Amino acid sequence: MKIAIISDVHENYHNLNLCIKDMKKETIEQILFLGDFINAGIARALATCGIPSFAIRGNNDGDLIAIYKQAIKKDSTLTFCPNTYSEFQCDGNRYFLTHYEDLVEIAVASGIFKGVFFGHTHQKSIKKNKDCFIVNPGEISAHKYGIPTYVIMDTEADTCTFRVLKEGITVRTESVVQLYSELGFDSHFGFNKN
């Protein structure tokens, strides 16, 4: 089975549309979304894309009721879990999904998951601990690091690979970086406490 792991869309419809087209080209059979829709329109895009999607919420998901309503509409292919973590099972394997990285170590140490997937930091990474993949797919939004990415997990080949959306767009321009600096944020748009 080919599973797409995505995170942190942050309302970037352009990049999500590119991602969905790329997933269809890659014959993805399941999407796992690690949170930060921002709004219900992103949920609607996933609910109508034709690929089964399982999503958890992130820290930037405003109207959870509106997101949930998209998931329960007739013909929706989206399943929405209102928690920031959940378990997903397929092909006899268990996967742990979390928006935040604070549960990753515990989930990996449990030894019961084939994969532990997290978002929030926007920083892409793929590691393996014994038989367990530890994956942060990066960001669809491309607003922190400027490059929209996601991961394809092939359960048959036992691989995880990054996909870069080459025609993706970002709001991480020089003027935005300068403004954030002036406002007291660090280089990756987190608050600088100095």
Side-chain angles (χ1 to χ4, degrees):
M1 179 178 236
K2 289 174 87 173
I3 300 171
I5 307 162
I6 68 172
S7 193
D8 297 282
V9 174
H10 286 265
E11 236 174 18
N12 190 325
Y13 287 93
H14 175 86
N15 290 358
L16 181 61
N17 186 44
L18 291 176
C19 186
I20 289 168
K21 286 180 180 177
D22 193 62
M23 288 189 282
K24 288 180 178 179
K25 185 181 83 179
E26 291 294 319
T27 62
I28 296 300
E29 300 165 79
Q30 177 69 54
I31 299 169
L32 300 178
F33 178 46
L34 307 174
D36 281 0
F37 297 83
I38 298 290
N39 70 40
I42 295 300
R44 182 77 180 140
L46 289 171
T48 60
C49 76
I51 304 170
S53 302
F54 181 85
I56 59 174
R57 76 175 170 90
N59 62 305
N60 285 301
D61 294 326
D63 192 340
L64 296 178
I65 299 298
I67 291 169
Y68 179 71
K69 283 181 177 179
Q70 293 303 318
I72 63 170
K73 281 189 172 183
K74 187 179 183 207
D75 300 324
S76 170
T77 58
L78 174 65
T79 301
F80 176 62
C81 174
N83 299 324
T84 58
Y85 62 91
S86 188
E87 182 178 326
F88 181 83
Q89 296 184 27
C90 72
D91 290 346
N93 292 311
R94 296 170 73 179
Y95 300 95
F96 186 77
L97 285 61
T98 178
H99 185 68
Y100 297 107
E101 67 275 18
D102 58 346
L103 297 176
V104 170
E105 188 177 331
I106 294 166
V108 171
S110 75
I112 62 174
F113 298 108
K114 181 67 175 163
V116 175
F117 311 137
F118 68 103
H120 186 61
T121 66
H122 296 232
Q123 191 164 14
K124 66 185 179 83
S125 64
I126 297 173
K127 297 175 185 170
K128 199 162 187 187
N129 183 322
K130 298 180 183 169
D131 289 331
C132 179
F133 279 105
I134 307 161
V135 175
N136 184 323
E139 57 182 349
I140 296 294
S141 66
H143 78 273
K144 278 194 175 183
Y145 293 98
I147 301 169
T149 59
Y150 77 101
V151 166
I152 296 176
M153 171 180 250
D154 186 326
T155 60
E156 190 175 317
D158 196 32
T159 59
C160 283
T161 54
F162 285 109
R163 297 286 295 174
V164 175
L165 303 171
K166 293 186 172 118
E167 295 178 17
I169 59 174
T170 181
V171 296
R172 189 179 172 79
T173 63
E174 287 183 32
S175 64
V176 169
V177 172
Q178 177 64 36
L179 175 62
Y180 268 65
S181 175
E182 291 168 8
L183 294 172
F185 289 89
D186 70 17
S187 63
H188 294 294
F189 301 173
F191 187 66
N192 185 348
K193 294 178 183 168
N194 294 333

